[in-house]
Amino acid sequence: MAKHFLPLLRASAGADVVNLVSSVAETRNHRSPAHPAFYAAKAAQAGFADVLSHRLRPEGIRVISLYPPDFTDGDPLHPTWDHASRSADDPLTAPSVLDCLLFAIGQPRDCFIRSFHFEQTQAPASPTPSPGSP
């Protein structure tokens, strides 16, 4: 997809590429009950984002990657979106991830925020053992 949008990105005065990766892409992160294929896919996405960032930065195109843990996925059109609890004791919310993204893309072009790594404050649900696993 990036290949097909590259001409438009290059023609833009302020292009940003945003990747919603996942904390499972971080080295030695085994906190999610996600399938191993998800871990592999997100690690590949993170690697691709790093290469893309390295190659596009000289052209002024910023590549920003977000590495959130599981977060509560709210519907921005639902009335609860604006009233989600966002205290330190609550799990990460979609509005909080959005706020971080808007902060990053709102910076002057000489400010390059390559990634946001979020801390998981609550333990994820215990993974369900797969058939045949010990």
Side-chain angles (χ1 to χ4, degrees):
M1 185 185 291
K3 177 181 175 181
H4 295 291
F5 280 107
L6 201 48
L8 294 171
L9 293 169
R10 286 183 170 135
S12 174
D16 293 310
V17 176
V18 177
N19 293 290
L20 185 60
V21 185
S22 172
S23 63
V24 302
E26 297 172 326
T27 306
R28 292 184 285 283
N29 179 325
H30 303 290
R31 296 183 301 255
S32 174
H35 191 277
F38 182 73
Y39 276 85
K42 289 301 184 173
Q45 181 186 11
F48 178 73
D50 284 346
V51 170
L52 199 61
S53 178
H54 178 74
R55 291 186 181 172
L56 295 180
R57 181 64 177 139
E59 298 180 50
I61 299 172
R62 299 184 299 193
V63 178
I64 304 164
S65 297
L66 291 93
Y67 294 81
D70 295 336
F71 59 91
T72 57
D73 191 6
D75 177 354
L77 301 177
H78 194 274
T80 59
W81 177 269
D82 292 324
H83 306 291
S85 181
R86 295 166 80 176
S87 75
D89 295 328
D90 293 313
L92 184 63
T93 62
S96 293
V97 174
L98 177 62
D99 285 347
C100 289
L101 169 61
L102 293 174
F103 172 80
I105 64 175
Q107 297 308 303
R109 299 309 298 174
D110 65 341
C111 180
F112 180 67
I113 299 172
R114 189 171 184 169
S115 62
F116 279 102
H117 293 262
F118 299 84
E119 217 176 290
Q120 185 165 355
T121 59
Q122 296 186 350
S126 298
T128 305
S130 351
S133 66

